[in-house]
Amino acid sequence: MKIKTVSFVLAVAGTLGVQGAMAQAWPSAKPIRIVVPYPAGGATDLATRAFANSMGKRLNHSLFVENKGGAGGAIGLEAVAVAAPDGYTFIVGTAGNFAVNPHLMKQSRYDVEKSFTPVCMMALAPVAMFANVSLPANNLSELIAWSKANPGKLNFATDGQATIPHIGGEYLKLTTGLNMTHVPYKGSASATQAALAGETQLALTGVANAIPHVRSGKLKLIGVAGTDRLSLFPDTPTLIEQGASGLDLGSWFAMFGPAQVDAGVIDRMGKACRDTAAEPDIRETLSGAALEVATSTPEQLRDKLRDDLKRWGDMVSRSGVKAE
């Protein structure tokens, strides 16, 4: 019995020794690949490239970004889920493909909690409601009153069917009595343009494309759909403050590896990510795209994902939104 116990201890020690050696040797074998599950040029791509550049310098190793878009991010996630857990493949996922899509895409070949290893939160992307200047409503209560007095006349544009803004808009209707009809567009820029041109009276979308038009007086900011006011418009209450309880639609960008990546590798990758998030240049770069830097430990990211899966599961179920 004692021999077995000693053998077991030696075996465990040997395994830990191999893992420790791997973490010390990493990175050395090849460049580190960071997958973005969307086409180049979007906010996720911008944030990832900014982080990758700085993290590469901190790790004294080459990092490169690979865009692998399609199927709402599922193609990129599938590729990383089956990648070797050797510390040379990671992915930057969003709240949409990690916390929302699992409730819409039931046939995924991966489990977001079991197939990936959390590394670090990177950024937050606020979602807000904007109105055409001709709409005689400047806040949520006025918007609800106008929609009830004019049933069937209020339309809201979003980034598309079954996106975070679409789900949030349907949830808002249920919880506040707001009478409005969804009009899906292809992306945030198109949704913003729809409200700007008067094709719809409202746009519920990311803030990057709309902010310049709010500044110029061509759109009105009704409120951000999150827990914090927009730093650029601190006097405008959030939709939650205006009575839309629980309407936190802000997306996040975060880095994950495949399951079973060595803990030492995750620690070093996570530290490089967190240290990068503290750089003023990174904050300035992301701010230019209306993103806010955020960071976390792997454990905090795991908890955030678990909480958001539960919260978005409830919102998807209550909203009745289905994927196309």
Side-chain angles (χ1 to χ4, degrees):
M1 188 69 175
K2 290 182 180 180
I3 294 176
K4 290 182 180 179
T5 303
V6 171
S7 298
F8 174 76
V9 171
L10 290 174
V12 171
T15 300
L16 293 176
V18 170
Q19 291 177 337
M22 177 184 174
Q24 290 175 4
W26 178 92
S28 60
K30 55 187 176 181
I32 296 171
R33 176 177 64 141
I34 302 181
V35 173
V36 172
Y38 300 108
T44 313
D45 183 62
L46 180 148
T48 302
R49 291 180 186 277
F51 267 78
N53 183 55
S54 178
M55 289 175 65
K57 294 175 182 177
R58 292 182 177 279
L59 294 167
N60 193 29
H61 195 72
S62 176
L63 276 71
F64 72 96
V65 176
E66 178 184 346
N67 296 92
K68 210 171 186 66
I75 291 176
L77 267 69
E78 286 180 5
V80 174
V82 299
D86 56 6
Y88 292 94
T89 299
F90 294 87
I91 188 167
V92 173
T94 67
N97 51 47
F98 266 81
V100 180
N101 285 356
H103 304 291
L104 298 168
M105 303 166 62
K106 304 298 184 181
Q107 304 302 318
S108 297
R109 299 177 183 177
Y110 53 82
D111 181 308
V112 293
E113 290 189 279
K114 296 178 181 178
S115 303
F116 301 94
T117 305
V119 178
C120 181
M121 186 77 76
M122 297 163 60
L124 302 175
V127 170
M129 179 175 281
F130 304 92
N132 185 282
V133 292
S134 66
L135 185 67
N138 298 301
N139 55 51
L140 184 58
S141 61
E142 292 178 1
L143 196 60
I144 294 170
W146 190 89
S147 73
K148 290 181 176 179
N150 299 271
K153 295 184 178 181
L154 185 63
N155 298 320
F156 74 106
T158 72
D159 306 10
Q161 175 72 22
T163 57
I164 282 178
H166 178 203
I167 296 166
E170 298 298 338
Y171 184 81
L172 182 62
K173 289 163 59 176
L174 286 172
T175 55
T176 66
L178 183 61
N179 186 329
M180 61 180 183
T181 302
H182 177 235
V183 183
Y185 284 80
K186 293 184 178 181
S188 179
S190 297
T192 300
Q193 185 60 37
L196 190 65
E199 294 175 11
T200 64
Q201 296 95 336
L202 297 172
L204 187 59
T205 187
V207 305
N209 293 292
I211 289 301
H213 301 299
V214 176
R215 284 174 166 164
S216 67
K218 296 179 180 178
L219 284 177
K220 295 187 286 189
L221 172 63
I222 301 298
V224 65
T227 56
D228 299 314
R229 299 184 183 189
L230 287 180
S231 57
L232 297 173
F233 300 94
D235 295 331
T236 303
T238 68
L239 293 177
I240 293 175
E241 290 178 282
Q242 296 181 52
S245 178
L247 193 74
D248 183 2
L249 308 183
S251 186
W252 44 256
F253 305 157
M255 188 175 293
F256 297 81
Q260 299 181 343
V261 176
D262 180 84
V265 170
I266 294 297
D267 287 344
R268 292 181 62 189
M269 195 71 171
K271 185 178 188 306
C273 180
R274 291 189 296 276
D275 289 347
T276 293
E279 295 178 13
D281 287 351
I282 292 293
R283 294 180 180 276
E284 183 177 350
T285 298
L286 268 61
S287 177
L291 303 175
E292 300 177 6
V293 171
T295 192
S296 73
T297 64
E299 293 75 22
Q300 289 168 334
L301 177 54
R302 181 179 292 107
D303 292 342
K304 174 66 173 172
L305 175 57
R306 184 181 300 116
D307 291 344
D308 275 10
L309 277 166
K310 181 178 180 181
R311 181 170 64 86
W312 277 107
D314 177 65
M315 289 183 69
V316 169
S317 177
R318 293 185 63 183
S319 71
V321 170
K322 304 293 183 183
E324 290 182 318

